[in-house]
Amino acid sequence: MRYTFLLLFTVCSLAQKPLDSLRQNKTQLDGLFTSYLSENGELFFELSETDLQKDLLMITRLAATPEDASLHGDKTMTILMEFRKKRDRIELVYKPNESIAKPDAPILKSVQKNNTAPILYTFEIMNEEPNKYFIDVTPYFNDNSPGFGLKSKGKVLKKNSAIDRVKVFKKNLEISQTLTFSEKSNEVPRTFLINHSIIELPDDKMDIRYADHRVGYFTINKIDYSSKALKADQFEIIQRWHLVPKDIEAYNRGELVEPIEPIVFYIDPATPYRFRPFIKKGVEDWNEAFEAAGFKNAILSKDPPTVEEDPDFSTEDVRYSIIKYIASTTRNAKGPRVYDPRTGQIIESDVFWYHNHLRSYRNRYLLETAAANPSARTLDTPMEDIGEMLRQVIAHEVGHSLGLRHNFKASAVYPVDSLRSASFTQKNGIASSIMDYARYNYVAQPSDEGVRFIRKIGPYDIHAIAWAYRYFDGKSPAEVREIQKKWMDQRADNPHYMFGGGREARQNDPHAMTENIGDDVVSATNYGLKNLKIVASHLDKWVLNEGSKYDDLEELYDELLGVYRRYIGHLTGVIGGVHQTLRNENQQGYTYKNTDKDYQIRSLSTLKNEVWTPPLWLIDKDLVSHFKPTGSLDQLTKIQYLTVNSLINQGLLERMISQHISLVGNGLSPSELMDHLFKDLFLDLDTSHIMVRNLQKHVVKRTIELLEDEKASVEVKGFMLNFQRKLNSYFSKKSKNPDVKAHNRFCMFLLQKHTS
């Protein structure tokens, strides 16, 4: 990522003074930089020669925010920087680090000239002594300065802003400040509490580890201009923690060895006590994976220290990785990282858990599993089940904190029928990776006893940690890359170890979708819909208690429609899909292959039965009449329309045109898709029902939209014109039903422009 910074200089004429006089009436703080804080909140650094041109990382976070702003704890910017001396000033400089060259390579000079370091701020040297540089950093930190990444567009109200607290440690410096902004869009000013962490990056750099696209890790791009290749050699390195065994000889003998510095996550003091045991398990579950890398007790979870144990403990301190508990109505969790951009070494990571996220998990647990899972048939979910959900969400986010990306291929590894097996699911979970979005087992049927319904860490996770964290004694990064490449080649055809980024990687792989499970999307969706019908018929009984309002029932009903929409989205994701199998250059087989035609036709058949044919079970009068004065037909109709739009779609049809003539595999052609849609949406439907008539009108309008879309290709427009000629013939038929007769006439009126 490249950053563009404005040059910002502060120019003031200061008569230089002796250091002793400048230090007076200020509190001295020793550590990374000798710092001084005055009684009125002014901050000064006293830099020595050794502090200059030292690689520093500055992380800016939102420690507390207004109600309508981003959530506290969010990082707004992370930059690599250094202090430099230029004449009688000290410059704070951002250091670009993507383009590199070997120190002895002549091209290094060109790399440096073409990647000029932006100056963030310039400070006057206030003292007269040589080799010591006393500077006032208050103006920089008491503003919305370059390098902070604060998005507020208003002006900083200096009188309502201040540096509140400064803590200085051996390797890092923590600055807490209040910034108040005056914005035209808000009559009331907005106040933020900001925390800046400045940390010294190690001179003894961790060895880089080259990325392999067959294993999903967050990466850093590098461009090596001193490569022997006849081009700039672009490569990626992964983000990972630096784990070194305490006893390297024992490690090399194959014994499990503790790391010199384990990964430690502290529990946020704000976390309710009843949740803490589950959170700790979610963190330490990863030790199974680290054991595959040769480490024991590699990752630990601890309670926050008391003031007596550690008076300097702070959840904003970059020395501590925290499982943060956020009081927010947001339904989310995340696991960002702070890493050394030079090497990819993860320095610190916080997992954010938002309080209301449990509400999402409770609701989905009921909607997706209650048909086969008696303990889910309530809004008072047993603590054992809630705890297990929380444990696995934390494990997922900790996976991100360890460097792992989402692996959406993992949910399609296990056979659908195996997901109905108690012995299989209890041993293997419901997907091969916790890093997928395979949250619940919606496949298991009411007759299936003892199955596992909640996800867990799987074989891919163990494999990925072993690949990234195995310690190679005395091996160079290039040698390690070759060892790992051979190891991956041996495992590449095993589905349990496959990686796929799905839509996040702009791939339309039906076996790398989000929120699905099982190796057969159509079969799994049919099981899910069968269960959802059971849940819909019992929803009021399972949600309502004596004296309860209908708010919860309405919320669950709306989310039930969301589950239905998600299942239908899995079906449309099969149409025009391309299976991706990530391969190395020396592996046999194809990377991309058309999804089999029969598979796609099965998906279209389920769409016909479950979407085009009016799904009246979703708008049962006895249920909806409790909470919706106008009913819910519009909600369901909207889902039908969106489903049509995803199939009669410019992007999909143009992809299918290209895929059909340029990729292997017997896929469905665009003309075959349109033929199926004509049959399923018109010839085989009963137009006496208003939902069918509304659906057909929308299809007609959709074809007109594509014909009038200037961006649509002539081939796609040809498909639409041919489709409309069939529609013209279809709507020409006579009907004795007055509603159908009016429907046919209106559709003919719409089509007249293009079929006359």
Side-chain angles (χ1 to χ4, degrees), residues 294-343:
F295 292 99
K296 67 178 180 181
N297 300 325
I299 184 167
L300 307 173
S301 181
K302 296 182 179 181
D303 286 318
T306 64
V307 174
E308 292 73 24
E309 292 170 333
D310 186 351
D312 296 319
F313 178 82
S314 168
T315 58
E316 274 74 52
D317 190 337
V318 79
R319 294 179 301 160
Y320 302 100
S321 294
I322 311 291
I323 308 292
K324 292 190 174 181
Y325 195 90
I326 312 297
S328 169
T329 56
T330 297
R331 301 188 188 187
N332 197 13
K334 57 185 178 181
R337 301 148 310 287
V338 172
Y339 57 88
D340 185 340
R342 307 170 306 173
T343 64

Side-chain angles (χ1 to χ4, degrees), residues 686-710:
D686 180 3
T687 50
S688 64
H689 198 286
I690 187 173
M691 289 188 68
V692 172
R693 296 197 298 273
N694 284 342
L695 182 59
Q696 290 184 348
K697 288 185 182 75
H698 180 75
V699 173
V700 171
K701 292 177 181 177
R702 183 64 179 165
T703 62
I704 293 171
E705 287 175 2
L706 286 186
L707 272 171
E708 295 179 345
D709 186 351
E710 295 180 357

Side-chain angles (χ1 to χ4, degrees), residues 421-614:
S421 165
S423 59
F424 182 89
T425 55
Q426 292 298 344
K427 178 182 178 181
N428 301 290
I430 60 177
S432 64
S433 174
I434 193 74
M435 301 313 298
D436 205 322
Y437 279 168
R439 304 175 203 268
Y440 295 117
N441 185 350
Y442 57 81
V443 164
Q445 296 297 292
S447 59
D448 304 331
E449 298 181 356
V451 297
R452 181 179 177 87
F453 291 99
I454 302 171
R455 59 183 172 171
K456 58 180 280 191
I457 286 175
Y460 167 83
D461 307 311
I462 296 170
H463 148 84
I465 292 295
W467 177 85
Y469 284 92
R470 167 67 59 178
Y471 181 79
F472 294 92
D473 185 26
K475 301 289 185 182
S476 70
E479 290 173 322
V480 171
R481 176 168 54 182
E482 291 306 310
I483 294 170
Q484 290 184 304
K485 183 178 177 181
K486 292 177 181 177
W487 190 66
M488 280 300 303
D489 289 348
Q490 294 169 356
R491 294 185 162 210
D493 290 325
N494 187 328
H496 292 81
Y497 306 130
M498 287 185 179
F499 169 74
R503 294 289 171 89
E504 286 187 351
R506 298 181 180 179
Q507 297 299 325
N508 299 289
D509 186 346
H511 286 171
M513 292 191 285
T514 63
E515 313 286 356
N516 70 307
I517 57 173
D519 64 344
D520 186 317
V521 173
V522 180
S523 178
T525 301
N526 280 323
Y527 278 130
L529 289 170
K530 188 176 179 180
N531 283 337
L532 199 60
K533 291 173 184 178
I534 296 173
V535 172
S537 66
H538 292 81
L539 193 62
D540 54 349
K541 302 179 185 65
W542 292 343
V543 171
L544 295 177
N545 296 314
E546 185 177 352
S548 63
K549 297 181 180 179
Y550 290 108
D551 294 354
D552 285 336
L553 183 61
E554 182 176 6
E555 177 181 314
L556 266 291
Y557 173 78
D558 288 341
E559 292 194 23
L560 183 141
L561 289 177
V563 174
Y564 171 77
R565 183 174 63 247
R566 186 161 55 247
Y567 290 168
I568 300 309
H570 295 160
L571 295 172
T572 58
V574 172
I575 310 305
V578 174
H579 292 297
Q580 179 194 52
T581 303
L582 294 173
R583 300 183 184 279
N584 211 346
E585 65 273 7
N586 61 348
Q587 290 179 253
Q588 294 182 347
Y590 298 104
T591 301
Y592 300 105
K593 184 178 180 181
N594 277 308
T595 298
D596 186 74
K597 180 191 297 187
D598 291 340
Y599 193 14
Q600 297 189 53
I601 291 173
R602 287 175 53 220
S603 181
L604 288 170
S605 178
T606 299
L607 286 172
K608 173 186 173 182
N609 295 331
E610 302 292 351
V611 183
W612 312 147
T613 302

Side-chain angles (χ1 to χ4, degrees), residues 609-729:
N609 295 331
E610 302 292 351
V611 183
W612 312 147
T613 302
L616 301 179
W617 59 275
L618 283 165
I619 49 174
D620 180 75
K621 293 181 179 180
D622 288 338
L623 176 63
V624 177
S625 296
H626 285 304
F627 47 79
K628 289 212 182 271
T630 58
S632 53
L633 178 61
D634 288 347
Q635 289 176 278
L636 185 53
T637 299
K638 184 177 181 181
I639 295 174
Q640 289 182 311
Y641 289 178
L642 290 173
T643 307
V644 166
N645 293 352
S646 68
L647 297 176
I648 304 178
N649 180 280
Q650 172 199 345
L652 172 65
L653 292 170
E654 291 183 354
R655 282 204 323 270
M656 292 178 73
I657 292 168
S658 176
Q659 291 163 196
H660 192 65
I661 64 172
S662 60
L663 293 183
V664 299
N666 183 28
L668 192 70
S669 71
S671 58
E672 289 172 324
L673 170 61
M674 297 308 297
D675 287 344
H676 275 280
L677 291 177
F678 178 70
K679 181 177 182 296
D680 294 347
L681 283 160
F682 295 90
L683 299 182
D684 293 349
L685 289 186
D686 180 3
T687 50
S688 64
H689 198 286
I690 187 173
M691 289 188 68
V692 172
R693 296 197 298 273
N694 284 342
L695 182 59
Q696 290 184 348
K697 288 185 182 75
H698 180 75
V699 173
V700 171
K701 292 177 181 177
R702 183 64 179 165
T703 62
I704 293 171
E705 287 175 2
L706 286 186
L707 272 171
E708 295 179 345
D709 186 351
E710 295 180 357
K711 295 181 180 179
S713 69
V714 291
E715 190 73 8
V716 168
K717 291 184 178 182
F719 289 133
M720 293 304 104
L721 189 59
N722 186 58
F723 193 80
Q724 286 190 353
R725 291 193 183 278
K726 291 182 179 181
L727 294 178
N728 192 58
S729 176

Side-chain angles (χ1 to χ4, degrees), residues 145-161:
S145 295
F148 294 173
L150 302 176
K151 296 181 180 179
S152 180
K153 297 179 181 178
K155 293 183 178 180
V156 174
L157 299 176
K158 297 296 179 66
K159 291 183 178 180
N160 299 348
S161 304

